[in-house]
């Protein structure tokens, strides 16, 4: 860490020394990452192993009421701090998280303005975060019209990027593109890319609260600029004169696997604010859901209505028989008839359809040890939802419903609210209004000991640490696209998600489809994986709640494979990414939080490949029975997706396993500790 100031000498005759250009540097605890702040034009740059990975990049904001914050501000003070501690997750990928970082806090002031501001940097061994802390600027209202923060990357034509377009009609539910960096236009975060040297980086944000979500806009080759999602009136962020931004984050690793083993986003969030959260329960759930996507059932009332008392009780029986703790029911409340996705104003969140007896169903579930998982589809009409939220949450709490899946299926830019003048406004799902709405639903739910699983959400930025009842969310192209999407999710999709979307946090992808070609192997709409890969998803795609997504009768056709879904937990003591390349393949190992057992998931894209996995993640000196579910010799997702070998081997940490993965194939293993 260093401070350097241009020598005063003769220059002091022209400019006060305190206002001359200065730079400050801070390194990660292991010295591999160095950030330098320079106030000549107010820029920062980043080096990794003494090689520049972020070239000098601008900082600052533009306001409606005041001059810009940026160039012209000079360093006037700074302080440093080092932290090395651990903290515990109530649920998660790992129970204990290490927080080791060096912090640099810099005060900057403009010579012609009274109010200073602060830049706070935290450097970890796996990356860095920085944020702006802007105190009262002497105005009652301060509207942000642009953020000037840049991330400049050299060699953009030789840098590979994996990305989805930002601020599109389909929110985050798009297929990832693999291009040269200079071909990127406007992209959502997490934004993952690989430099020509092989170094992998991912740009994102942490602790997004009362602010607009950031997308990255490439206006010149290699210059990614923060582009804050606007309100309907064009203002990016509305403040009362002071604000603290989310952390702008850069994860950095020697290889792709290093990104997967990072806790940077969580470490940049505040600790749990809810106190005792023992009522937040990870688990697995079945649901009246997939039938709607296959069009064998309907959300709306009528002869195919799925959310009936009798059907729900049958699903509760299925869950109880197989050890699942929940049943999700969609389409239970009035408002689903007609074009519901275009008319969110009609939903009633406390009035069920006549064929759905909430009290009887929850009582039946309680007797069976299975909870009803609630569902609120808003179609993005947040004013209608917020007007009913208290009563709706009270109703669920009264009947022992402890988890709610919320949905906001409106197209991007079409979330509806009624403003203070009674005028209907349309907003983006990742604008400041919606960012605040999503968190409001979580905090209101917490008052009643309810957990929220948000679909069509704002992106995850690690707030599950601060609000552990925000138990999961969607935020990417999920399993349902395999039923009706055009095209459905390709083989590379679930090999892409761990390195992109899931760097932000858990995803409710809804794995476990066993009838992989409901309309036939040659149909466009089918699941483009093998059966073994569907099992591997339970380990690879982390969520503390996992859906057993297919229809009960489809599991009955493959009882031996179904055993893995019954066995696999959703709460982990440890997680380790072992191998992988972005969009190609990935291998994860995780230890059950409540036993000595370990689980492994491996999956590949459209390319068949063989991976050899060292088992040195297992504790030394202990023996395990490896219960292996893997692709058969002739398995192929197109023609023979159900070909599977189920076998057992006795192994130790000194052993390795060789796993042949078919095209879009996978392997799932339970390592059961031997006595």
């Amino acid at each position: 860490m260093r401070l350097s100031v241009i020598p005063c000498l003769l220059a002091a005759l022209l400019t006060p020394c305190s206002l001359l250009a200065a730079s400050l540097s801070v390194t990660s605890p292991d010295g591999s990452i160095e950030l330098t702040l320079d106030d000549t034009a107010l820029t920062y740059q980043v080096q990794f192993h003494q090689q520049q990975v972020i070239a000098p990049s601008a900082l600052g904001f533009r306001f409606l009421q005041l001059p810009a914050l940026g160039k012209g501000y000079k360093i006037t003070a700074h302080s440093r701090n080092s932290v090395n501690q651990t903290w515990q997750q109530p649920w998660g990928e790992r129970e204990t998280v290490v927080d080791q970082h060096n912090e640099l806090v810099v005060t900057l002031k403009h010579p012609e303005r009274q109010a200073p501001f602060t830049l706070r940097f935290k450097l970890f061994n796996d990356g860095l975060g920085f944020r702006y802390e802007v105190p009262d600027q002497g105005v009652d209202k301060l509207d942000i019209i642009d953020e000037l923060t840049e991330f400049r990357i050299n060699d953009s034509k030789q840098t590979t990027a994996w990305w989805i377009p930002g601020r599109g009609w389909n929110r985050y539910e798009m297929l990832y593109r693999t291009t040269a960096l200079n071909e990127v236009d406007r992209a959502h975060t997490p934004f993952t890319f690989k430099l020509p040297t092989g170094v992998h980086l991912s740009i994102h944000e942490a602790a997004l609260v009362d602010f607009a979500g950031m997308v990255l806009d490439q206006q010149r080759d290699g210059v990614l600029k923060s582009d804050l999602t606007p309100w309907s009136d064009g203002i990016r962020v509305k403040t009362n004169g002071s604000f603290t931004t989310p952390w702008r984050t850069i994860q950095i690793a020697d290889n792709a696997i290093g990104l997967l083993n990072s806790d940077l986003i969580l470490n940049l969030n505040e600790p749990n604010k809810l106190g005792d959260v023992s009522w937040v329960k990870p688990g697995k759930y079945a649901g009246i859901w997939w039938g709607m996507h296959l069009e064998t059932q309907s959300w709306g009332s009528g002869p195919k209505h799925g959310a009936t008392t009798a059907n729900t009780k049958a699903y509760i029986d299925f869950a109880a028989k197989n050890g699942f703790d929940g049943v999700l029911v969609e389409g239970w409340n009035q408002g689903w008839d007609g074009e519901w996705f275009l008319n969110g104003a009609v939903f009633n969140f406390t009035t069920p359809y006549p064929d759905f007896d909430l009290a009887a169903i929850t009582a039946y579930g309680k007797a069976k040890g299975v909870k009803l998982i609630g569902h609120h589809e808003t179609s993005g009409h947040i004013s209608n939802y917020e007007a009913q939220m208290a009563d709706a949450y009270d109703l669920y709490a009264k009947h022992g419903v402890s988890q709610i899946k919320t949905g906001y299926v409106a197209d991007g830019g079409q979330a509806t609210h009624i403003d203070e003048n009674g005028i209907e406004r349309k907003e983006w799902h990742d604008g400041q209004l919606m960012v605040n709405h999503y968190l409001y639903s979580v905090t209101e739910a917490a008052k009643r000991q309810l957990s929220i699983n948000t679909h069509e959400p704002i992106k995850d930025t690690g707030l599950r640490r601060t609000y552990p009842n925000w138990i999961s969310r969607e935020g990417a192209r999920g399993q349902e696209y395999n039923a009706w999407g055009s095209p459905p999710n390709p083989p590379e999709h679930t090999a892409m998600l761990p390195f992109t979307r899931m760097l932000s946090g858990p995803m409710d992808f809804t794995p476990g489809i066993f009838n992989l070609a409901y309309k036939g192997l040659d149909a466009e709409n089918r699941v483009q994986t093998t059966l073994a890969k569907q099992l591997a998803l339970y380990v690879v795609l982390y969520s503390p709640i996992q859906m057993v997504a297919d229809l009960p009768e489809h599991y009955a056709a493959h009882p031996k494979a179904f055993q893995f879904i019954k066995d696999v937990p959703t709460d982990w003591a440890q997680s380790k990414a072992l191998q992988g390349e972005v969009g190609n393949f990935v291998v994860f190992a995780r230890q059950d939080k409540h036993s000595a057992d370990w689980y492994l998931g491996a999956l590949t894209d459209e390319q068949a490949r063989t991976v050899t996995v060292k088992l040195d993640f297992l504790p030394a000196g202990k023996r395990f029975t490896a219960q292996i579910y893997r692709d058969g010799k002739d398995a192929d997702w197109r023609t023979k997706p159900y070909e599977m070998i189920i076998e057992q081997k006795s192994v130790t940490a000194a052993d390795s396993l060789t796993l042949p993965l078919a095209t879009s194939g996978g392997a799932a293993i339970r390592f059961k500790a031997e006595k």
Side-chain angles (χ1 to χ4, degrees):
M1 296 183 286
R2 69 176 186 268
L3 168 67
S4 62
V5 181
I6 294 177
C8 293
L9 301 177
L10 296 176
L13 300 174
L14 303 175
T15 307
C17 190
S18 62
L19 297 182
L20 292 174
S23 67
L24 291 165
S25 292
V26 58
T27 64
S28 59
D30 65 0
S32 64
I33 302 172
E34 182 180 32
L35 178 142
T36 301
L37 175 71
D38 191 308
D39 70 4
T40 304
L42 195 56
T43 61
Y44 76 98
Q45 60 179 302
V46 180
Q47 290 191 321
F48 181 55
H49 296 315
Q50 299 181 334
Q51 298 295 317
Q52 188 181 79
V53 292
I54 301 292
S57 301
L59 296 162
F61 284 92
R62 293 175 58 228
F63 307 112
L64 185 62
Q65 295 86 358
L66 293 175
L69 180 156
K71 186 176 181 180
Y73 279 77
K74 299 299 179 181
I75 298 169
T76 59
H78 73 280
S79 63
R80 301 180 185 274
N81 186 35
S82 294
V83 171
N84 189 1
Q85 62 187 10
T86 61
W87 57 275
Q88 304 294 310
Q89 292 196 85
W91 52 264
E93 308 93 320
R94 57 187 54 82
E95 188 171 12
T96 301
V97 178
V98 176
D99 176 4
Q100 184 182 13
H101 68 266
N102 290 330
E103 181 180 57
L104 171 66
V105 183
V106 184
T107 301
L108 298 107
K109 190 176 182 301
H110 195 283
E112 298 175 1
R113 301 169 205 161
Q114 291 189 352
F117 79 98
T118 296
L119 281 169
R120 185 178 301 268
F121 301 91
K122 290 186 178 182
L123 269 69
F124 303 78
N125 295 335
D126 53 351
L128 62 96
F130 61 90
R131 73 180 185 190
Y132 303 80
E133 299 171 2
V134 180
D136 184 2
Q137 297 294 297
V139 292
D140 295 332
K141 179 181 181 182
L142 186 61
D143 294 330
I144 297 172
I145 57 174
D146 195 16
E147 179 175 349
L148 305 179
T149 305
E150 294 175 342
F151 306 85
R152 290 183 175 240
I153 296 96
N154 295 326
D155 300 320
S156 63
K157 292 182 180 179
Q158 285 73 46
T159 294
T160 303
W162 298 275
W163 60 287
I164 54 174
R167 209 171 302 141
W169 73 270
N170 208 19
R171 306 168 305 273
Y172 304 95
E173 297 179 17
M174 291 164 280
L175 294 175
Y176 279 85
R177 305 176 183 183
T178 303
T179 71
L181 178 65
N182 69 316
E183 297 176 34
V184 175
D185 183 11
R186 187 166 58 195
H188 274 305
T189 69
F191 176 80
T192 302
F193 56 101
K194 180 176 72 171
L195 300 177
T197 60
V199 172
H200 286 65
L201 298 93
S202 185
I203 299 170
H204 189 42
E205 55 185 319
L208 173 55
V209 176
D210 195 20
F211 215 75
M214 174 185 74
V215 302
L216 298 174
D217 186 13
Q218 183 169 223
Q219 298 176 331
R220 295 188 303 280
D221 284 2
V223 182
L224 301 172
K225 178 184 169 298
S226 173
D227 183 1
L228 298 176
T229 299
W231 287 72
S232 55
D233 61 7
I235 299 299
R236 304 304 175 110
V237 177
K238 301 180 180 183
T239 82
N240 62 3
S242 63
F243 62 91
T244 296
T245 71
W247 296 91
R248 278 64 187 97
T249 66
I250 308 172
Q251 289 164 280
I252 309 172
D254 289 303
N255 51 44
I257 293 304
L259 296 179
L260 302 187
N261 290 317
S262 169
D263 290 317
L264 177 75
I265 303 300
L266 280 175
N267 273 323
L268 287 169
N269 276 266
E270 294 183 46
N272 172 18
K273 289 185 175 181
L274 301 182
D276 178 12
V277 289
S278 58
W279 45 272
V280 179
K281 300 292 187 183
K284 287 177 292 216
Y285 68 99
I288 299 174
W289 176 78
W290 187 239
M292 285 81 143
H293 295 288
L294 297 180
E295 298 183 336
T296 63
Q297 297 174 328
S298 66
W299 284 284
S301 62
K304 294 198 300 182
H305 190 213
T308 67
T309 300
N311 197 22
T312 305
K313 287 183 175 180
Y315 269 81
I316 289 173
D317 290 341
F318 167 74
K321 177 182 177 182
N322 293 289
F324 309 137
D325 60 3
V327 170
L328 166 73
V329 181
E330 297 194 4
W332 69 273
N333 59 309
Q334 291 189 0
W336 287 94
D337 294 318
E339 300 293 324
W340 55 266
F341 48 89
L342 297 175
N343 194 11
V346 306
F347 279 113
N348 187 308
F349 301 102
T350 56
T351 304
Y353 280 113
D355 55 358
F356 186 85
D357 189 332
L358 178 61
I361 287 167
T362 52
Y364 186 82
K366 184 177 181 180
K368 295 274 187 172
V370 176
K371 63 191 176 190
L372 176 69
I373 295 177
H375 183 248
H376 288 158
E377 178 53 63
T378 70
S379 294
H381 199 302
I382 65 167
S383 293
N384 182 48
Y385 190 37
E386 290 186 359
Q388 301 182 60
M389 189 179 286
D391 290 341
Y393 288 2
D394 287 344
L395 177 68
Y396 272 151
K398 174 184 175 182
H399 291 285
V401 175
S402 59
Q403 291 181 8
I404 307 172
K405 174 183 174 181
T406 58
Y408 299 82
V409 295
D411 286 350
Q414 295 297 307
T416 302
H417 82 108
I418 310 301
D419 72 11
E420 62 275 9
N421 298 314
I423 299 174
E424 181 177 284
R425 304 291 186 185
K426 300 292 186 179
E427 305 290 346
W428 291 97
H429 284 65
D430 52 345
Q432 184 182 16
L433 178 84
M434 290 298 291
V435 165
N436 290 344
H437 166 79
Y438 288 118
L439 185 54
Y440 176 67
S441 75
V442 169
T443 55
E444 286 300 298
K447 294 175 183 177
R448 299 157 176 88
Q449 296 193 352
L450 303 173
S451 298
I452 297 294
N453 167 22
T454 317
H455 281 231
E456 299 79 38
I458 179 62
K459 60 186 171 183
D460 197 346
T461 58
L463 285 169
R464 59 192 168 109
R465 179 184 181 186
T466 312
Y467 305 96
N469 69 317
W470 207 341
I471 197 164
S472 196
R473 73 183 76 198
E474 193 183 34
R477 222 172 186 258
Q479 186 83 265
E480 66 272 17
Y481 280 84
N482 294 323
W484 43 257
S486 184
N489 296 328
E492 73 168 11
H493 186 58
T494 49
M496 188 75 74
L497 289 176
F499 302 94
T500 52
R501 152 67 180 88
M502 301 202 69
L503 294 180
S504 69
M507 180 185 174
D508 189 25
F509 180 82
T510 62
I513 300 302
F514 271 32
N515 188 334
L516 299 165
Y518 187 76
K519 299 176 183 177
L521 289 175
D522 295 328
E524 177 186 21
N525 295 125
R526 54 157 296 188
V527 181
Q528 296 188 2
T529 75
T530 65
L531 185 58
K533 186 172 180 177
Q534 286 294 307
L535 299 182
L537 295 177
Y538 284 90
V539 181
V540 171
L541 301 184
Y542 169 68
S543 177
I545 53 170
Q546 291 280 24
M547 191 175 193
V548 187
D550 210 339
L551 307 180
E553 56 266 32
H554 294 163
Y555 293 117
H558 302 278
K560 292 183 179 179
F562 188 46
Q563 185 62 46
F564 183 82
I565 296 181
K566 292 195 286 185
D567 291 338
V568 66
T570 63
D571 197 13
W572 305 103
Q574 302 181 63
S575 292
K576 298 179 180 180
L578 304 177
Q579 299 179 38
E581 294 293 344
V582 184
N584 294 338
F585 77 105
V586 65
V587 183
F588 255 106
R590 305 187 194 270
Q591 183 193 2
D592 180 16
K593 186 175 180 178
H594 303 290
S595 77
D597 294 355
W598 282 77
Y599 289 77
L600 183 142
L603 57 83
T604 185
D605 60 1
E606 70 280 0
Q607 299 296 322
R609 69 185 76 229
T610 298
V611 296
T612 298
V613 181
K614 294 181 179 180
L615 304 185
D616 52 6
F617 56 85
L618 297 173
K622 293 189 177 181
R623 186 163 289 276
F624 293 78
T625 299
Q627 301 169 353
I628 304 169
Y629 303 74
R630 62 179 177 88
D631 295 316
K633 179 182 178 182
D634 299 321
D636 183 289
W637 77 262
R638 298 176 186 85
T639 58
K640 294 185 177 181
Y642 303 105
E643 292 286 322
M644 181 186 289
I645 293 173
I646 301 176
E647 59 185 350
Q648 292 191 359
K649 294 182 178 180
S650 183
V651 298
T652 70
D655 294 322
S656 296
L657 289 177
T658 298
L659 303 173
L661 307 178
T663 60
S664 195
I669 305 173
R670 178 189 185 185
F671 296 93
K672 185 173 176 58
E674 297 179 2
K675 295 181 180 179

